[in-house]
Amino acid sequence: MLWKDSLRIFLGSRGRKEEAGQSFSIRYRIGQPEYRMKLARRMRALHTSVFTELKAEKERLEQEEQMTVLDFSLGSPDIPPAQSVIDTLCEQAAVPANYRYAVSPLPELVKAIQDWYQEHYEVCLKPSEICLLQGSQEALVNLPLLFCNPHDGYLIPDPYYPAYLDAPRMAEADVLFMPLKEENDYLIDFDAISEEERKKRE
């Protein structure tokens, strides 16, 4: 029977590089023969994380060159939150009701966000303009998938965080880099974008 057959799934490289990156496939075997599931073309745009490469290079230098390498690559916080925040998290972790799925955000949380933006930026947000996410990268990755069709134009500043580039590539959008230069106080020079590029970049 099928459930008694050997099931093996693994992610591996097919051993050749595509123009936009490494091509991958998933192979699995249910009895015989072996089948192969190809990942979507959009996945070819993704590469090994730059942070993974930097970590490997740091470890190589420390081992081979006996160097002490200061790591400024990933902006991971090294300062713990206030003790009151930790205490509140511990208290709320013991409340069974907090483990239910949240269909919609708590009204008091939305109100707190509105108050914070009003106090710090003098911006009045409507509840419909507030979206709760697991972090900024979730927004950066999902927004191009919501708004971009293949070959739509997508403007990103340069230098950029990796998700700024990976997300529009997954959406198969055409990327235009906007260099942030010292002579422009590291602000985007919109006048440098041609009229043709403006028409394409929605």
Side-chain angles (χ1 to χ4, degrees):
M1 297 178 64
L2 184 63
W3 62 270
K4 289 184 178 180
D5 292 337
S6 169
L7 178 61
R8 180 167 56 92
I9 300 178
F10 64 91
L11 179 65
S13 170
R14 291 194 313 198
R16 64 186 182 90
K17 291 188 177 181
E18 303 289 346
E19 180 179 354
Q22 186 73 35
S23 176
F24 295 99
S25 63
I26 297 178
R27 298 176 183 177
Y28 61 95
R29 183 178 62 195
I30 304 177
Q32 295 293 335
E34 184 175 80
Y35 298 89
R36 173 178 292 177
M37 291 170 27
K38 294 182 180 179
L39 296 180
R41 289 192 309 273
R42 68 177 66 92
M43 297 303 293
R44 298 174 186 172
L46 301 182
H47 302 266
T48 304
S49 168
V50 64
F51 300 118
T52 301
E53 295 176 354
L54 289 173
K55 182 175 182 291
E57 180 65 10
K58 172 190 173 184
E59 293 173 349
R60 185 192 67 79
L61 288 171
E62 289 180 333
Q63 182 177 2
E64 296 180 6
E65 307 294 336
Q66 298 299 306
M67 300 172 59
T68 300
V69 179
L70 300 179
D71 189 349
F72 293 99
S73 60
L74 186 62
S76 181
D78 57 359
I79 302 175
Q83 188 59 45
S84 59
V85 174
I86 297 176
D87 293 341
T88 300
L89 287 172
C90 291
E91 292 171 6
Q92 294 303 312
V95 179
N98 289 336
Y99 290 91
R100 299 171 184 169
Y101 288 125
V103 178
S104 58
L106 294 173
E108 52 265 42
L109 176 57
V110 173
K111 181 64 167 58
I113 294 172
Q114 289 175 306
D115 292 344
W116 193 89
Y117 268 84
Q118 181 65 51
E119 178 183 351
H120 289 81
Y121 301 113
E122 297 184 359
V123 172
C124 182
L125 292 176
K126 300 175 183 177
S128 60
E129 296 173 323
I130 297 173
C131 182
L132 302 183
L133 302 166
Q134 297 182 20
S136 59
Q137 285 199 69
E138 184 180 1
L140 290 171
V141 169
N142 284 299
L143 283 174
L145 296 175
L146 289 172
F147 295 107
C148 290
N149 292 311
H151 303 299
D152 279 349
Y154 197 89
L155 303 168
I156 66 172
D158 186 12
Y160 53 87
Y161 198 73
Y164 280 71
L165 179 60
D166 293 339
R169 280 183 171 174
M170 286 184 62
E172 301 181 61
D174 294 336
V175 174
L176 173 67
F177 296 100
M178 299 179 294
L180 306 181
K181 299 180 179 180
E182 184 178 4
E183 55 264 33
N184 296 323
D185 293 327
Y186 301 103
L187 298 175
I188 295 171
D189 183 8
F190 289 102
D191 293 333
I193 304 172
S194 68
E195 187 63 28
E196 181 180 352
E197 290 170 334
R198 289 174 186 269
K199 291 179 180 179
K200 185 177 182 182
R201 271 70 187 180
E202 298 182 356

